[in-house]
Amino acid sequence: MHRRLSRGAMITPAAALFVAVLSAPASAQCGSASWYALTSKTASGERMNPAAMTAAHRTLPFGTKLRVTNERNGRSVVVRINDRGPFARGRILDLSKAAAAKLGFIRAGHTRVCLEKR
């Protein structure tokens, strides 16, 4: 089933879902997050610092600050978006190693989080 948009354009159900997900505010985002500790340049041009409180998100502008809460233990941290990603399917955020340590999921490698725009 296709949905008709203004001026006769058509959109498939999958595309409608994609648009809805992209337009959802960051405060409404919950999902899986992982961590990474590379030291290469990030998409914003700065060098990745595993000790900094930073993260990678697919669409949020660089410099956006998010409160990230680990759903499993209730710990939260504030991170700054400075990179693009994650590229693993089903993930909404890649955190620096320092942020993951504060959230308590280094050994697990990934966890469920909720994002709140600051």
Side-chain angles (χ1 to χ4, degrees), residues 6-7 14 17 22 24-25 38 42-43 50 52 72 79 85 88 96 102 105 108 115 118:
S6 62
R7 298 183 190 154
L17 177 62
L22 286 181
L38 303 174
T42 64
R72 294 193 171 119
V79 297
S96 65
K102 289 209 179 222
F105 73 95
L115 312 179
R118 303 279 300 167

Side-chain angles (χ1 to χ4, degrees), residues 5-19:
L5 297 176
S6 62
R7 298 183 190 154
M10 300 290 278
I11 188 167
T12 65
L17 177 62
F18 182 73
V19 169

